[in-house]
Amino acid sequence: MLMQIHPMPPMPDAVIDEDAALVRRAASADVAAFEQLYRRHHRRVHAVIVRLVGQAGARAEDLTQEAFVRAWQALPAFRFESAVSTWLHRLAVTTALMELRARRSRPWQDDDTELEQLAATDTAGRAMLGRDLELAVSSLPPRARAVLVLHDVEGWKHEEIATELGMAVGSSKAQLHRARGLLRERLGAMA
């Protein structure tokens, strides 16, 4: 999977209206409606989680399922103040950030294991640059990686990142600067 360098395109209004109808049905315990929401959005949710936690595979799948379980539980409280896709995206980010926090509390986990897992999922058909970029991003410290992905890939503003990650706006900017510098350094070393 090549890392996307630009934010996801906005959803068409028809999709937003269909999603809202599906949420209303799913909130009334219509499992088939929720399954449709899952099929429509699972790739995007999974992609966000992979980019933030820095690894593909079974753990990313588990976190994607966890994000959708949270969505199912929170459906009755959904207020339609944002698009369903935006809400699911936020749930994915929150789920990934909780995973990163949990990892931080498990110091015995070796970061090299994550790189090995990512490298193991690599397929022969991937472009070398894409693989190098993925490995370089996944090797960044978790907070720097989160800020880089949220800002440069997902298109979030520093104010949103600061709120989501519980840091000052200046810290978000500093982490982005640090992440970009480390990324340039690591990509240069790989070249």
Side-chain angles (χ1 to χ4, degrees):
M1 172 174 72
L2 292 177
M3 177 165 263
Q4 207 172 359
I5 303 300
H6 52 82
M8 294 290 230
M11 294 264 184
D13 288 341
V15 171
I16 292 171
D17 293 342
E18 291 173 28
D19 282 350
L22 289 171
V23 166
R24 284 184 182 87
R25 288 180 31 218
S28 300
D30 183 340
V31 175
F34 187 75
E35 287 174 358
Q36 281 185 276
L37 279 172
Y38 175 82
R39 283 193 299 274
R40 291 172 80 135
H41 297 282
H42 81 278
R43 283 190 201 108
R44 185 173 189 210
V45 167
H46 184 264
V48 168
I49 288 172
V50 167
R51 285 191 296 259
L52 283 170
V53 300
Q55 69 186 66
R59 185 62 188 143
E61 285 295 330
D62 290 346
L63 293 170
T64 301
Q65 295 301 318
E66 187 176 323
F68 277 99
V69 167
R70 290 169 192 241
W72 174 257
Q73 293 168 339
L75 275 175
F78 185 69
R79 297 185 310 248
F80 299 94
E81 293 173 355
S82 64
V84 174
S85 61
T86 302
W87 177 67
L88 289 170
H89 185 273
R90 289 274 183 184
L91 280 172
V93 168
T94 300
T95 302
L97 293 176
M98 288 173 59
E99 170 70 7
L100 292 174
R101 285 184 197 113
R103 283 186 196 169
R104 216 178 320 150
S105 69
R106 297 186 306 246
W108 63 87
Q109 184 175 4
D110 187 5
D111 285 341
D112 290 339
T113 303
E114 291 178 26
L115 288 175
E116 290 167 7
Q117 288 172 348
L118 182 62
T121 64
D122 225 14
T123 60
R126 288 194 185 157
M128 183 66 84
L129 179 60
R131 184 174 43 243
D132 289 348
L133 180 59
E134 285 182 31
L135 289 171
V137 169
S138 70
S139 72
L140 294 173
R143 287 179 73 79
R145 179 175 59 228
V147 171
L148 178 82
V149 169
L150 291 174
H151 187 273
D152 288 356
V153 179
E154 297 298 322
W156 288 27
K157 293 179 166 75
H158 283 290
E159 294 77 14
E160 296 171 307
I161 296 168
T163 299
E164 190 68 35
L165 297 179
M167 64 172 58
V169 172
S171 295
S172 175
K173 291 177 181 180
Q175 287 287 341
L176 179 61
H177 179 73
R178 176 181 182 221
R180 287 176 176 167
L182 289 170
L183 195 56
R184 274 191 295 275
E185 186 179 292
R186 289 173 182 167
L187 286 172
M190 290 178 181

